[in-house]
Coordinates of all heavy atoms in Angstrom, one line a residue:
E1 N 183.4 -141.4 -214.6 CA 183.9 -142.4 -213.7 C 185.4 -142.5 -213.5 O 185.9 -142.9 -212.5 CB 183.4 -143.8 -214.1 CG 181.9 -144.0 -214.1 CD 181.4 -145.4 -214.5 OE1 182.3 -146.2 -214.9 OE2 180.2 -145.6 -214.4
T2 N 186.2 -142.0 -214.5 CA 187.6 -142.2 -214.5 C 188.3 -140.9 -214.8 O 187.8 -140.0 -215.4 CB 188.0 -143.3 -215.5 OG1 187.9 -142.7 -216.8 CG2 187.3 -144.6 -215.3
P3 N 189.6 -140.8 -214.4 CA 190.4 -139.7 -214.7 C 190.6 -139.5 -216.2 O 190.6 -138.3 -216.7 CB 191.8 -140.0 -214.1 CG 191.5 -140.9 -213.0 CD 190.3 -141.7 -213.5
V4 N 190.7 -140.5 -217.0 CA 190.8 -140.4 -218.4 C 189.5 -139.8 -219.0 O 189.6 -138.9 -219.9 CB 191.0 -141.8 -219.1 CG1 191.0 -141.7 -220.6 CG2 192.3 -142.5 -218.6
Q5 N 188.4 -140.2 -218.6 CA 187.1 -139.6 -219.0 C 187.0 -138.2 -218.6 O 186.5 -137.3 -219.4 CB 185.9 -140.4 -218.5 CG 185.8 -141.8 -219.0 CD 184.8 -142.7 -218.3 OE1 184.5 -142.4 -217.1 NE2 184.3 -143.7 -218.9
A6 N 187.5 -137.8 -217.4 CA 187.4 -136.5 -216.9 C 188.3 -135.6 -217.8 O 187.9 -134.5 -218.2 CB 187.9 -136.4 -215.5
A7 N 189.5 -136.0 -218.1 CA 190.4 -135.2 -219.0 C 189.7 -135.0 -220.3 O 189.8 -133.9 -220.9 CB 191.7 -135.9 -219.1
A8 N 189.1 -136.1 -220.8 CA 188.5 -136.0 -222.2 C 187.3 -135.0 -222.2 O 187.2 -134.2 -223.1 CB 188.0 -137.4 -222.6
V9 N 186.4 -135.1 -221.2 CA 185.3 -134.2 -221.3 C 185.7 -132.7 -221.0 O 185.0 -131.8 -221.5 CB 184.2 -134.6 -220.3 CG1 183.6 -136.0 -220.7 CG2 184.6 -134.6 -218.8
A10 N 186.7 -132.5 -220.3 CA 187.2 -131.2 -220.0 C 187.8 -130.5 -221.2 O 187.4 -129.4 -221.6 CB 188.3 -131.2 -218.9
I11 N 188.7 -131.2 -221.9 CA 189.3 -130.6 -223.1 C 188.3 -130.5 -224.2 O 188.3 -129.5 -225.0 CB 190.5 -131.4 -223.5 CG1 191.4 -130.5 -224.5 CG2 190.2 -132.7 -224.1 CD1 192.7 -131.1 -224.8
K12 N 187.4 -131.4 -224.3 CA 186.3 -131.3 -225.4 C 185.3 -130.3 -225.0 O 184.7 -129.6 -225.9 CB 185.6 -132.7 -225.5 CG 186.5 -133.7 -226.2 CD 186.0 -135.1 -226.1 CE 184.8 -135.3 -227.0 NZ 184.3 -136.7 -227.0
G13 N 185.1 -130.0 -223.7 CA 184.2 -129.0 -223.2 C 184.7 -127.6 -223.4 O 183.9 -126.6 -223.2
G14 N 186.0 -127.4 -223.6 CA 186.5 -126.1 -223.8 C 187.6 -125.6 -222.9 O 188.1 -124.5 -223.0
T15 N 188.1 -126.5 -222.0 CA 189.2 -126.2 -221.2 C 190.5 -126.4 -221.9 O 190.8 -127.4 -222.6 CB 189.2 -127.1 -219.9 OG1 188.1 -126.7 -219.1 CG2 190.5 -127.0 -219.1
N16 N 191.4 -125.4 -221.8 CA 192.7 -125.5 -222.5 C 193.8 -125.9 -221.6 O 194.7 -126.7 -221.9 CB 193.1 -124.1 -223.0 CG 192.1 -123.5 -224.0 OD1 191.9 -122.3 -224.0 ND2 191.5 -124.4 -224.8
L17 N 193.8 -125.4 -220.3 CA 194.9 -125.6 -219.4 C 194.4 -126.2 -218.1 O 193.4 -125.7 -217.6 CB 195.6 -124.3 -219.1 CG 196.9 -124.4 -218.3 CD1 198.1 -125.0 -219.0 CD2 197.3 -123.0 -217.8
N18 N 195.0 -127.3 -217.6 CA 194.7 -127.9 -216.4 C 195.6 -127.5 -215.3 O 196.8 -127.8 -215.3 CB 194.7 -129.5 -216.6 CG 194.5 -130.3 -215.4 OD1 194.9 -131.4 -215.3 ND2 193.8 -129.8 -214.4
C19 N 195.0 -126.8 -214.3 CA 195.8 -126.6 -213.1 C 195.6 -127.8 -212.2 O 194.6 -128.1 -211.6 CB 195.3 -125.3 -212.3 SG 196.3 -125.0 -210.8
G20 N 196.6 -128.7 -212.3 CA 196.5 -130.0 -211.7 C 197.2 -131.0 -212.6 O 197.9 -130.6 -213.6
G21 N 197.0 -132.3 -212.4 CA 197.7 -133.3 -213.2 C 196.9 -134.2 -214.0 O 197.4 -135.1 -214.7
T22 N 195.5 -134.0 -214.0 CA 194.7 -135.0 -214.7 C 194.8 -135.0 -216.2 O 194.6 -136.0 -216.8 CB 193.2 -134.7 -214.3 OG1 193.1 -134.6 -212.9 CG2 192.3 -135.9 -214.8
F23 N 195.3 -133.9 -216.8 CA 195.5 -133.9 -218.2 C 196.6 -134.8 -218.7 O 196.8 -135.0 -219.9 CB 195.7 -132.5 -218.7 CG 194.5 -131.7 -219.2 CD1 193.2 -132.2 -218.9 CD2 194.6 -130.6 -219.9 CE1 192.1 -131.6 -219.3 CE2 193.4 -129.9 -220.4 CZ 192.2 -130.4 -220.0
S24 N 197.4 -135.3 -217.7 CA 198.4 -136.4 -218.1 C 197.7 -137.6 -218.7 O 198.4 -138.4 -219.3 CB 199.2 -136.8 -216.8 OG 199.9 -135.7 -216.3
E25 N 196.4 -137.8 -218.4 CA 195.7 -138.9 -218.9 C 195.2 -138.7 -220.4 O 194.6 -139.6 -221.0 CB 194.4 -139.1 -218.1 CG 194.7 -139.3 -216.6 CD 195.4 -140.6 -216.3 OE1 195.3 -141.5 -217.1 OE2 195.9 -140.8 -215.2
L26 N 195.6 -137.6 -221.0 CA 195.1 -137.3 -222.4 C 195.7 -138.3 -223.4 O 195.0 -138.6 -224.4 CB 195.3 -135.9 -222.8 CG 194.4 -134.8 -222.1 CD1 194.9 -133.4 -222.4 CD2 193.0 -135.0 -222.6
K27 N 196.9 -138.8 -223.2 CA 197.4 -139.7 -224.1 C 196.5 -141.0 -224.2 O 196.2 -141.5 -225.2 CB 198.8 -140.1 -223.7 CG 199.5 -141.1 -224.6 CD 199.7 -140.6 -226.0 CE 200.4 -141.6 -226.9 NZ 201.8 -142.0 -226.5
K28 N 196.1 -141.5 -223.0 CA 195.2 -142.6 -222.9 C 193.9 -142.3 -223.6 O 193.3 -143.1 -224.3 CB 195.0 -143.0 -221.5 CG 196.2 -143.6 -220.8 CD 195.8 -144.0 -219.4 CE 197.0 -144.6 -218.6 NZ 196.7 -144.9 -217.2
A29 N 193.4 -141.0 -223.4 CA 192.2 -140.6 -224.0 C 192.2 -140.6 -225.5 O 191.3 -141.0 -226.2 CB 191.8 -139.2 -223.5
V30 N 193.4 -140.3 -226.1 CA 193.6 -140.3 -227.5 C 193.6 -141.8 -228.0 O 192.9 -142.1 -229.0 CB 194.9 -139.6 -227.9 CG1 195.2 -139.9 -229.4 CG2 194.8 -138.1 -227.6
V31 N 194.3 -142.6 -227.3 CA 194.4 -144.0 -227.6 C 193.0 -144.7 -227.6 O 192.7 -145.5 -228.5 CB 195.4 -144.8 -226.7 CG1 195.3 -146.3 -226.9 CG2 196.8 -144.3 -226.9
E32 N 192.2 -144.3 -226.6 CA 190.9 -144.9 -226.5 C 189.9 -144.3 -227.4 O 188.7 -144.6 -227.4 CB 190.4 -144.8 -225.0 CG 191.3 -145.6 -224.1 CD 190.9 -145.4 -222.6 OE1 189.7 -144.9 -222.4 OE2 191.6 -145.8 -221.7
G33 N 190.3 -143.3 -228.2 CA 189.4 -142.6 -229.1 C 188.4 -141.6 -228.5 O 187.5 -141.2 -229.1
L34 N 188.7 -141.2 -227.3 CA 187.9 -140.2 -226.6 C 188.2 -138.8 -227.0 O 187.3 -137.9 -227.0 CB 188.0 -140.3 -225.1 CG 187.6 -141.7 -224.5 CD1 187.9 -141.7 -223.0 CD2 186.1 -141.9 -224.7
V35 N 189.4 -138.6 -227.5 CA 189.9 -137.2 -227.9 C 190.7 -137.4 -229.1 O 191.5 -138.3 -229.3 CB 190.8 -136.6 -226.7 CG1 191.4 -135.3 -227.2 CG2 189.9 -136.4 -225.5
S36 N 190.6 -136.4 -230.0 CA 191.4 -136.5 -231.3 C 192.7 -135.7 -231.1 O 192.9 -134.8 -230.3 CB 190.6 -135.8 -232.4 OG 190.5 -134.4 -232.2
E37 N 193.7 -136.1 -231.9 CA 195.0 -135.4 -231.9 C 194.8 -134.0 -232.4 O 195.6 -133.1 -232.0 CB 196.0 -136.2 -232.7 CG 196.4 -137.5 -232.1 CD 197.7 -138.1 -232.8 OE1 198.6 -137.4 -233.1 OE2 197.7 -139.4 -233.0
E38 N 193.9 -133.8 -233.3 CA 193.6 -132.4 -233.8 C 193.2 -131.5 -232.7 O 193.6 -130.3 -232.7 CB 192.5 -132.5 -234.9 CG 193.0 -133.2 -236.2 CD 193.0 -134.7 -236.1 OE1 192.4 -135.2 -235.1 OE2 193.6 -135.3 -237.0
L39 N 192.4 -132.0 -231.8 CA 192.0 -131.2 -230.6 C 193.1 -130.8 -229.7 O 193.3 -129.7 -229.3 CB 190.8 -131.8 -229.9 CG 190.3 -131.1 -228.6 CD1 189.8 -129.7 -229.0 CD2 189.2 -131.9 -227.9
I40 N 194.0 -131.8 -229.5 CA 195.2 -131.6 -228.7 C 196.0 -130.5 -229.3 O 196.5 -129.6 -228.7 CB 196.0 -132.9 -228.5 CG1 195.2 -134.0 -227.8 CG2 197.3 -132.6 -227.7 CD1 194.9 -133.8 -226.4
H41 N 196.2 -130.6 -230.6 CA 197.0 -129.6 -231.4 C 196.4 -128.2 -231.3 O 197.1 -127.2 -231.0 CB 197.1 -130.0 -232.9 CG 197.9 -129.1 -233.7 ND1 199.3 -129.2 -233.8 CD2 197.5 -128.1 -234.6 CE1 199.7 -128.3 -234.6 NE2 198.7 -127.6 -235.1
A42 N 195.1 -128.1 -231.5 CA 194.4 -126.8 -231.4 C 194.5 -126.2 -230.0 O 194.7 -125.0 -229.9 CB 193.0 -126.9 -231.9
T43 N 194.4 -127.0 -229.0 CA 194.4 -126.6 -227.6 C 195.8 -126.1 -227.3 O 195.9 -125.0 -226.6 CB 194.0 -127.7 -226.7 OG1 192.7 -128.1 -227.0 CG2 194.0 -127.2 -225.2
T44 N 196.8 -126.8 -227.7 CA 198.2 -126.4 -227.4 C 198.5 -125.0 -228.1 O 199.1 -124.1 -227.5 CB 199.2 -127.4 -227.9 OG1 198.8 -128.7 -227.4 CG2 200.6 -127.1 -227.5
K45 N 198.0 -124.9 -229.3 CA 198.2 -123.6 -230.0 C 197.6 -122.4 -229.3 O 198.1 -121.3 -229.2 CB 197.6 -123.7 -231.4 CG 198.4 -124.5 -232.4 CD 197.8 -124.5 -233.8 CE 197.5 -123.2 -234.4 NZ 196.9 -123.3 -235.8
Q46 N 196.4 -122.7 -228.7 CA 195.7 -121.6 -228.0 C 196.5 -121.1 -226.8 O 196.6 -119.9 -226.6 CB 194.3 -122.1 -227.5 CG 193.4 -121.0 -227.0 CD 192.9 -120.1 -228.2 OE1 192.5 -120.6 -229.2 NE2 193.1 -118.8 -228.0
L47 N 197.2 -122.0 -226.1 CA 198.0 -121.6 -225.0 C 199.3 -120.9 -225.5 O 199.7 -119.9 -224.9 CB 198.5 -122.9 -224.2 CG 197.3 -123.6 -223.5 CD1 197.8 -124.9 -222.9 CD2 196.7 -122.7 -222.4
F48 N 199.9 -121.3 -226.6 CA 201.1 -120.6 -227.1 C 200.8 -119.2 -227.6 O 201.7 -118.4 -227.7 CB 201.9 -121.5 -228.0 CG 202.8 -122.4 -227.3 CD1 202.4 -123.7 -227.0 CD2 204.1 -122.0 -226.9 CE1 203.2 -124.6 -226.3 CE2 204.9 -122.9 -226.2 CZ 204.5 -124.2 -225.9

């Protein structure tokens, strides 16, 4: 239903990089408990 939920299901589903701006909502997703900081860390490492 929301951009925050979309960002959460995408990164949890296996997407690393967002062509677009919706991943800006990931901070809210972390605060709301939808995504862990560990997943953000692992995803960032994959890109680097």
Side-chain angles (χ1 to χ4, degrees):
E1 295 181 355
T2 68
V4 176
Q5 293 169 339
V9 296
I11 195 169
K12 289 168 72 175
T15 289
N16 303 144
L17 185 71
N18 174 205
C19 182
T22 311
F23 268 15
S24 298
E25 304 289 342
L26 284 173
K27 179 65 179 298
K28 292 181 182 177
V30 172
V31 171
E32 294 176 16
L34 300 176
V35 174
S36 69
E37 292 192 39
E38 290 77 14
L39 179 57
I40 302 288
H41 182 79
T43 303
T44 309
K45 284 178 59 177
Q46 195 66 51
L47 293 174
F48 274 92

